[in-house]
Amino acid sequence: MSRIVYVNGQYVPEEEARVSVFDRGFLMADGVYEVTSVLDGKLVDFPGHITRLRRSLSELDMPSPATDDDLLAIHRELVARNGIEHGMVYLQVTRGAPPDRDFAYPDAATPPTLVLFTQSKPGLIDNPLARSGMAVVSIPDQRWARRDIKTVQLLYPSMGKMIAKAQGADDAWMVEDGVVTEGTSNNAYIVKGNTIVTRQLGPEILSGITRAAVLACAREAQMRVEERPFTIEEAREADEAFITSASTFVMPVVRLDGQEIGEGRPGPVAVRLREIYLSEARRAAI
Ligand code: PDD
């Protein structure tokens, strides 16, 4: 049975899904997206993802494609139709397909394009990287200056993953003005003593929905959290490091630029936070 995807009001087999060659998502990366994880057939942190989607749309003056209730219903319908137990729902909104290519935004006659699809990941929780820890390499952050908007301009993050792969690593941490911004598709953290350090929110990074939930779990568990920039040298000397995202939850980082962090294996803070976050996320999923 082929995967059912959602395109502009219709549920269709993936082979039949179509968007126009004039779509501004395709021509200009004029689109925003969200990735919501699915655990036990339910949506994790859904209200946070919808709130961030609304903000991305409004920062770009992009029309809304549907109400929050409709978006929830479409997510659930796709999860049900594709029998997803563990996995993800990907949502993308673009500024639609005007009659011709033009740098200026189209007028209201051009409706936004809305596409959603699911990805089944049976091993999403039991990821072997959670046991071994990840290796990252540092690269300069060469993305645009509005990283707080979750746009589909993902070429540089893609290049970053390829640079990491070429060096035998799992991901790259991006560095700007001597400090770490974030991972290519995740937020970055170090642990020194009993303090968790992660960059403060701002235009330089994406406001991770998992980040917000994990920091709340950490504070609830009486862990110390500092939201401030940290340097790559600080990261090298940290006791632990980890990342967070909707697709990795909390994932330990054990090597940076080929050098071990701490003891070179997942540390107690990352391991504990992963457990706490996952149990809370599964409890609160809708
Ligand atoms: N990426 N920073 C960047 C640059 C990201 O692309 C992501 C998410 C995050 C973490 O955000 P969240 O916790 O809301 O997933 C941080 C998604 C998973 C992706 O592009 O697939």
Side-chain angles (χ1 to χ4, degrees), residues 5 10 26 51 90 92 118 128-130 150 155 157 183 217 255 258:
V5 306
Q10 308 220 286
F26 175 62
T51 303
Y90 176 90
Q92 180 168 330
T118 54
L129 272 185
K150 196 164 171 61
L155 184 54
C217 291
R255 291 181 85 80

Side-chain angles (χ1 to χ4, degrees), residues 41-286:
K42 294 184 187 163
L43 301 161
V44 173
D45 293 332
F46 185 77
H49 287 286
I50 288 302
T51 303
R52 186 173 63 190
L53 174 70
R54 294 274 164 226
R55 181 175 181 279
S56 294
L57 291 169
S58 105
E59 289 297 302
L60 296 173
D61 295 324
M62 202 179 283
S64 167
T67 64
D68 291 2
D69 286 349
D70 285 345
L71 291 174
L72 175 58
I74 299 166
H75 276 75
R76 285 180 161 160
E77 185 69 25
L78 279 181
V79 169
R81 287 200 189 204
N82 293 295
I84 306 295
E85 190 193 358
H86 300 319
M88 263 99 77
V89 181
Y90 176 90
L91 170 156
Q92 180 168 330
V93 183
T94 78
R95 209 181 300 272
D100 210 348
R101 180 174 182 267
D102 188 348
F103 279 84
Y105 294 172
D107 61 23
T110 298
T113 299
L114 175 62
V115 169
L116 288 92
F117 58 81
T118 54
Q119 289 184 283
S120 176
K121 303 256 179 197
L124 189 61
I125 296 179
D126 200 18
N127 186 333
L129 272 185
R131 287 188 294 278
S132 63
M134 298 170 53
V136 301
V137 294
S138 57
I139 60 171
D141 197 335
Q142 295 177 348
R143 297 172 299 163
W144 80 327
R146 289 301 309 274
R147 303 158 195 155
D148 55 316
I149 309 173
K150 196 164 171 61
T151 75
V152 296
Q153 301 175 59
L154 297 176
L155 184 54
Y156 190 70
S158 251
M159 288 167 72
K161 293 256 191 218
M162 295 311 288
I163 295 167
K165 210 171 158 184
Q167 295 182 36
D170 303 295
D171 198 13
W173 276 14
M174 295 180 281
V175 179
E176 185 175 58
D177 299 329
V179 292
V180 174
T181 50
E182 56 187 333
T184 59
S185 58
N186 44 70
N187 292 114
Y189 306 73
I190 56 171
V191 180
K192 190 75 190 171
N194 59 3
T195 305
I196 298 166
V197 182
T198 192
R199 193 191 173 96
Q200 76 281 10
L201 296 181
E204 303 83 9
I205 66 166
L206 185 73
S207 171
I209 303 306
T210 320
R211 177 189 184 279
V214 166
L215 290 185
C217 291
R219 288 178 170 126
E220 178 81 4
Q222 313 297 327
M223 298 177 184
R224 242 178 84 93
V225 176
E226 276 180 17
E227 296 182 61
R228 62 160 176 87
F230 62 89
T231 64
I232 206 79
E233 288 71 32
E234 254 186 290
R236 281 190 225 297
E237 278 153 29
D239 297 323
E240 290 184 42
F242 62 93
I243 59 159
T244 65
S245 76
S247 48
T248 58
F249 311 122
V250 177
M251 194 61 77
V253 171
V254 298
R255 291 181 85 80
L256 171 58
D257 291 329
Q259 201 184 303
E260 283 186 355
I261 296 179
E263 295 179 5
R265 54 172 187 265
V269 172
V271 169
R272 177 145 177 252
L273 271 180
R274 182 177 173 89
E275 272 172 24
I276 300 175
Y277 170 73
L278 272 173
S279 87
E280 179 53 26
R282 291 176 100 162
R283 193 195 58 74
I286 59 171

